PDB file of all heavy atoms in Angstrom:
ATOM      1  N   LYS A  54     125.609   7.864  88.763  1.00 88.00           N
ATOM      2  CA  LYS A  54     125.104   7.685  90.143  1.00 88.00           C
ATOM      3  C   LYS A  54     124.148   8.718  90.546  1.00 88.00           C
ATOM      4  O   LYS A  54     124.041   9.796  90.009  1.00 88.00           O
ATOM      5  CB  LYS A  54     126.336   7.730  91.146  1.00 88.00           C
ATOM      6  CG  LYS A  54     127.104   6.416  91.056  1.00 88.00           C
ATOM      7  CD  LYS A  54     128.191   6.404  92.154  1.00 88.00           C
ATOM      8  CE  LYS A  54     127.689   5.620  93.352  1.00 88.00           C
ATOM      9  NZ  LYS A  54     128.728   5.345  94.284  1.00 88.00           N
ATOM     10  N   ARG A  56     122.408  11.292  93.284  1.00 87.00           N
ATOM     11  CA  ARG A  56     122.992  12.359  94.200  1.00 87.00           C
ATOM     12  C   ARG A  56     122.306  12.284  95.649  1.00 87.00           C
ATOM     13  O   ARG A  56     121.182  11.928  95.744  1.00 87.00           O
ATOM     14  CB  ARG A  56     122.874  13.753  93.706  1.00 87.00           C
ATOM     15  CG  ARG A  56     123.604  13.972  92.401  1.00 87.00           C
ATOM     16  CD  ARG A  56     123.537  15.394  92.004  1.00 87.00           C
ATOM     17  NE  ARG A  56     122.120  16.007  91.795  1.00 87.00           N
ATOM     18  CZ  ARG A  56     121.903  17.291  91.712  1.00 87.00           C
ATOM     19  NH1 ARG A  56     122.777  18.118  91.863  1.00 87.00           N
ATOM     20  NH2 ARG A  56     120.629  17.642  91.554  1.00 87.00           N
ATOM     21  N   ILE A  58     121.752  15.067  98.443  1.00 89.00           N
ATOM     22  CA  ILE A  58     121.833  16.473  98.682  1.00 89.00           C
ATOM     23  C   ILE A  58     121.438  16.812 100.129  1.00 89.00           C
ATOM     24  O   ILE A  58     120.460  16.350 100.577  1.00 89.00           O
ATOM     25  CB  ILE A  58     120.928  17.286  97.673  1.00 89.00           C
ATOM     26  CG1 ILE A  58     121.464  16.997  96.300  1.00 89.00           C
ATOM     27  CG2 ILE A  58     121.015  18.744  97.925  1.00 89.00           C
ATOM     28  CD1 ILE A  58     120.538  17.525  95.232  1.00 89.00           C
ATOM     29  N   SER A  59     122.267  17.650 100.753  1.00 89.00           N
ATOM     30  CA  SER A  59     121.937  18.026 102.169  1.00 89.00           C
ATOM     31  C   SER A  59     120.775  18.915 102.255  1.00 89.00           C
ATOM     32  O   SER A  59     120.498  19.766 101.402  1.00 89.00           O
ATOM     33  CB  SER A  59     123.179  18.732 102.717  1.00 89.00           C
ATOM     34  OG  SER A  59     122.829  19.419 103.881  1.00 89.00           O
ATOM     35  N   THR A  60     120.044  18.687 103.299  1.00 88.00           N
ATOM     36  CA  THR A  60     118.721  19.546 103.457  1.00 88.00           C
ATOM     37  C   THR A  60     119.125  20.947 103.848  1.00 88.00           C
ATOM     38  O   THR A  60     118.210  21.890 103.761  1.00 88.00           O
ATOM     39  CB  THR A  60     117.930  18.850 104.612  1.00 88.00           C
ATOM     40  OG1 THR A  60     118.809  18.448 105.647  1.00 88.00           O
ATOM     41  CG2 THR A  60     117.116  17.689 104.170  1.00 88.00           C
ATOM     42  N   THR A  61     120.323  21.196 104.345  1.00 88.00           N
ATOM     43  CA  THR A  61     120.749  22.524 104.671  1.00 88.00           C
ATOM     44  C   THR A  61     120.947  23.413 103.468  1.00 88.00           C
ATOM     45  O   THR A  61     120.787  24.609 103.505  1.00 88.00           O
ATOM     46  CB  THR A  61     122.044  22.529 105.509  1.00 88.00           C
ATOM     47  OG1 THR A  61     121.825  21.577 106.577  1.00 88.00           O
ATOM     48  CG2 THR A  61     122.419  23.806 106.042  1.00 88.00           C
ATOM     49  N   ASN A  67     123.493  23.476  94.402  1.00 88.00           N
ATOM     50  CA  ASN A  67     123.037  22.751  93.182  1.00 88.00           C
ATOM     51  C   ASN A  67     123.632  23.316  91.978  1.00 88.00           C
ATOM     52  O   ASN A  67     123.933  22.620  90.987  1.00 88.00           O
ATOM     53  CB  ASN A  67     121.522  22.899  93.122  1.00 88.00           C
ATOM     54  CG  ASN A  67     120.909  21.681  92.500  1.00 88.00           C
ATOM     55  OD1 ASN A  67     121.585  20.829  91.952  1.00 88.00           O
ATOM     56  ND2 ASN A  67     119.590  21.536  92.545  1.00 88.00           N
ATOM     57  N   THR A 120     126.786  24.263 102.765  1.00 90.00           N
ATOM     58  CA  THR A 120     126.395  23.037 103.455  1.00 90.00           C
ATOM     59  C   THR A 120     126.285  23.190 104.934  1.00 90.00           C
ATOM     60  O   THR A 120     125.704  22.284 105.628  1.00 90.00           O
ATOM     61  CB  THR A 120     127.453  21.953 103.240  1.00 90.00           C
ATOM     62  OG1 THR A 120     128.696  22.409 103.698  1.00 90.00           O
ATOM     63  CG2 THR A 120     127.594  21.632 101.703  1.00 90.00           C
ATOM     64  N   SER A 123     131.207  22.454 109.385  1.00 85.00           N
ATOM     65  CA  SER A 123     132.420  23.126 109.865  1.00 85.00           C
ATOM     66  C   SER A 123     133.623  22.726 109.018  1.00 85.00           C
ATOM     67  O   SER A 123     134.522  23.532 108.880  1.00 85.00           O
ATOM     68  CB  SER A 123     132.627  22.845 111.336  1.00 85.00           C
ATOM     69  OG  SER A 123     132.452  21.445 111.557  1.00 85.00           O
ATOM     70  N   ASP A 221     127.532  16.020  90.390  1.00 90.00           N
ATOM     71  CA  ASP A 221     128.211  17.203  90.906  1.00 90.00           C
ATOM     72  C   ASP A 221     129.675  16.918  91.245  1.00 90.00           C
ATOM     73  O   ASP A 221     130.541  17.662  90.873  1.00 90.00           O
ATOM     74  CB  ASP A 221     127.501  17.668  92.216  1.00 90.00           C
ATOM     75  CG  ASP A 221     126.138  18.217  91.908  1.00 90.00           C
ATOM     76  OD1 ASP A 221     125.850  18.519  90.737  1.00 90.00           O
ATOM     77  OD2 ASP A 221     125.343  18.455  92.877  1.00 90.00           O
TER      78      ASP A 221
ATOM     79  N   GLU B  40     122.917  26.913 107.945  1.00 86.00           N
ATOM     80  CA  GLU B  40     121.871  26.966 108.937  1.00 86.00           C
ATOM     81  C   GLU B  40     121.690  28.415 109.419  1.00 86.00           C
ATOM     82  O   GLU B  40     122.690  29.117 109.515  1.00 86.00           O
ATOM     83  CB  GLU B  40     122.197  26.088 110.080  1.00 86.00           C
ATOM     84  CG  GLU B  40     122.217  24.590 109.867  1.00 86.00           C
ATOM     85  CD  GLU B  40     120.870  24.021 109.508  1.00 86.00           C
ATOM     86  OE1 GLU B  40     119.931  24.423 110.190  1.00 86.00           O
ATOM     87  OE2 GLU B  40     120.755  23.189 108.631  1.00 86.00           O
ATOM     88  N   LEU B 103     139.250  44.087  74.146  1.00 79.00           N
ATOM     89  CA  LEU B 103     139.410  43.226  75.324  1.00 79.00           C
ATOM     90  C   LEU B 103     138.051  43.127  76.053  1.00 79.00           C
ATOM     91  O   LEU B 103     137.666  42.075  76.425  1.00 79.00           O
ATOM     92  CB  LEU B 103     140.489  43.824  76.225  1.00 79.00           C
ATOM     93  CG  LEU B 103     140.842  42.936  77.423  1.00 79.00           C
ATOM     94  CD1 LEU B 103     141.334  41.583  77.084  1.00 79.00           C
ATOM     95  CD2 LEU B 103     141.875  43.616  78.249  1.00 79.00           C
ATOM     96  N   LYS B 125     122.018  18.255  83.665  1.00 77.00           N
ATOM     97  CA  LYS B 125     121.973  17.536  84.976  1.00 77.00           C
ATOM     98  C   LYS B 125     120.566  16.997  85.126  1.00 77.00           C
ATOM     99  O   LYS B 125     120.342  15.993  85.742  1.00 77.00           O
ATOM    100  CB  LYS B 125     122.256  18.526  86.075  1.00 77.00           C
ATOM    101  CG  LYS B 125     123.656  18.378  86.570  1.00 77.00           C
ATOM    102  CD  LYS B 125     124.149  19.513  87.442  1.00 77.00           C
ATOM    103  CE  LYS B 125     123.576  19.608  88.749  1.00 77.00           C
ATOM    104  NZ  LYS B 125     124.356  20.545  89.657  1.00 77.00           N
ATOM    105  N   ASN B 130     118.974  11.575  87.379  1.00 68.00           N
ATOM    106  CA  ASN B 130     119.371  10.699  88.452  1.00 68.00           C
ATOM    107  C   ASN B 130     118.464  11.085  89.714  1.00 68.00           C
ATOM    108  O   ASN B 130     118.008  12.175  89.786  1.00 68.00           O
ATOM    109  CB  ASN B 130     120.807  10.937  88.801  1.00 68.00           C
ATOM    110  CG  ASN B 130     121.714  10.582  87.739  1.00 68.00           C
ATOM    111  OD1 ASN B 130     121.284   9.788  86.832  1.00 68.00           O
ATOM    112  ND2 ASN B 130     122.935  11.015  87.669  1.00 68.00           N
ATOM    113  N   LYS B 131     118.249  10.069  90.508  1.00 74.00           N
ATOM    114  CA  LYS B 131     117.503  10.427  91.716  1.00 74.00           C
ATOM    115  C   LYS B 131     118.262  11.288  92.691  1.00 74.00           C
ATOM    116  O   LYS B 131     119.523  11.173  92.829  1.00 74.00           O
ATOM    117  CB  LYS B 131     117.137   9.087  92.428  1.00 74.00           C
ATOM    118  CG  LYS B 131     115.769   8.581  92.005  1.00 74.00           C
ATOM    119  CD  LYS B 131     115.278   7.483  92.989  1.00 74.00           C
ATOM    120  CE  LYS B 131     116.299   6.645  93.617  1.00 74.00           C
ATOM    121  NZ  LYS B 131     115.830   5.347  94.010  1.00 74.00           N
ATOM    122  N   GLU B 133     118.601  12.257  96.559  1.00 83.00           N
ATOM    123  CA  GLU B 133     118.124  11.868  97.910  1.00 83.00           C
ATOM    124  C   GLU B 133     118.408  13.073  98.856  1.00 83.00           C
ATOM    125  O   GLU B 133     119.484  13.651  98.720  1.00 83.00           O
ATOM    126  CB  GLU B 133     118.916  10.654  98.368  1.00 83.00           C
ATOM    127  CG  GLU B 133     118.203   9.934  99.569  1.00 83.00           C
ATOM    128  CD  GLU B 133     118.996   8.776 100.141  1.00 83.00           C
ATOM    129  OE1 GLU B 133     119.735   8.217  99.246  1.00 83.00           O
ATOM    130  OE2 GLU B 133     118.992   8.556 101.220  1.00 83.00           O
ATOM    131  N   TYR B 135     119.281  14.373 102.513  1.00 86.00           N
ATOM    132  CA  TYR B 135     119.805  13.895 103.744  1.00 86.00           C
ATOM    133  C   TYR B 135     120.614  15.113 104.437  1.00 86.00           C
ATOM    134  O   TYR B 135     120.932  16.054 103.688  1.00 86.00           O
ATOM    135  CB  TYR B 135     120.775  12.711 103.562  1.00 86.00           C
ATOM    136  CG  TYR B 135     121.059  11.948 104.754  1.00 86.00           C
ATOM    137  CD1 TYR B 135     119.953  11.182 105.394  1.00 86.00           C
ATOM    138  CD2 TYR B 135     122.208  11.901 105.361  1.00 86.00           C
ATOM    139  CE1 TYR B 135     120.179  10.430 106.510  1.00 86.00           C
ATOM    140  CE2 TYR B 135     122.435  11.152 106.490  1.00 86.00           C
ATOM    141  CZ  TYR B 135     121.435  10.417 107.083  1.00 86.00           C
ATOM    142  OH  TYR B 135     121.588   9.669 108.230  1.00 86.00           O
ATOM    143  N   THR B 137     123.680  17.297 106.161  1.00 84.00           N
ATOM    144  CA  THR B 137     125.063  17.431 105.819  1.00 84.00           C
ATOM    145  C   THR B 137     125.843  16.412 106.661  1.00 84.00           C
ATOM    146  O   THR B 137     125.583  16.120 107.708  1.00 84.00           O
ATOM    147  CB  THR B 137     125.475  18.879 106.277  1.00 84.00           C
ATOM    148  OG1 THR B 137     124.733  19.824 105.512  1.00 84.00           O
ATOM    149  CG2 THR B 137     126.952  19.057 105.941  1.00 84.00           C
ATOM    150  N   MET B 149     127.846  24.719 115.047  1.00 81.00           N
ATOM    151  CA  MET B 149     128.929  23.942 114.523  1.00 81.00           C
ATOM    152  C   MET B 149     129.505  24.603 113.288  1.00 81.00           C
ATOM    153  O   MET B 149     130.481  24.186 112.685  1.00 81.00           O
ATOM    154  CB  MET B 149     128.427  22.565 114.151  1.00 81.00           C
ATOM    155  CG  MET B 149     128.136  21.668 115.259  1.00 81.00           C
ATOM    156  SD  MET B 149     127.810  20.072 114.599  1.00 81.00           S
ATOM    157  CE  MET B 149     126.515  19.593 115.667  1.00 81.00           C
ATOM    158  N   TYR B 156     136.469  32.112 109.400  1.00 90.00           N
ATOM    159  CA  TYR B 156     136.672  32.098 107.955  1.00 90.00           C
ATOM    160  C   TYR B 156     137.860  33.038 107.579  1.00 90.00           C
ATOM    161  O   TYR B 156     138.635  32.686 106.764  1.00 90.00           O
ATOM    162  CB  TYR B 156     135.370  32.515 107.270  1.00 90.00           C
ATOM    163  CG  TYR B 156     135.369  32.365 105.773  1.00 90.00           C
ATOM    164  CD1 TYR B 156     135.181  31.081 105.216  1.00 90.00           C
ATOM    165  CD2 TYR B 156     135.686  33.378 104.906  1.00 90.00           C
ATOM    166  CE1 TYR B 156     135.201  30.935 103.846  1.00 90.00           C
ATOM    167  CE2 TYR B 156     135.733  33.174 103.545  1.00 90.00           C
ATOM    168  CZ  TYR B 156     135.537  31.956 103.020  1.00 90.00           C
ATOM    169  OH  TYR B 156     135.478  31.786 101.684  1.00 90.00           O
TER     170      TYR B 156
END
Side-chain angles (χ1 to χ4, degrees):
Chain A
K54 285 186 97 168
R56 295 189 298 166
I58 297 172
S59 163
T60 42
T61 307
N67 212 350
T120 58
S123 47
D221 288 348
Chain B
E40 294 290 323
L103 184 61
K125 259 166 68 167
N130 297 343
K131 264 195 327 203
E133 197 184 329
Y135 199 67
T137 298
M149 283 188 223
Y156 189 81

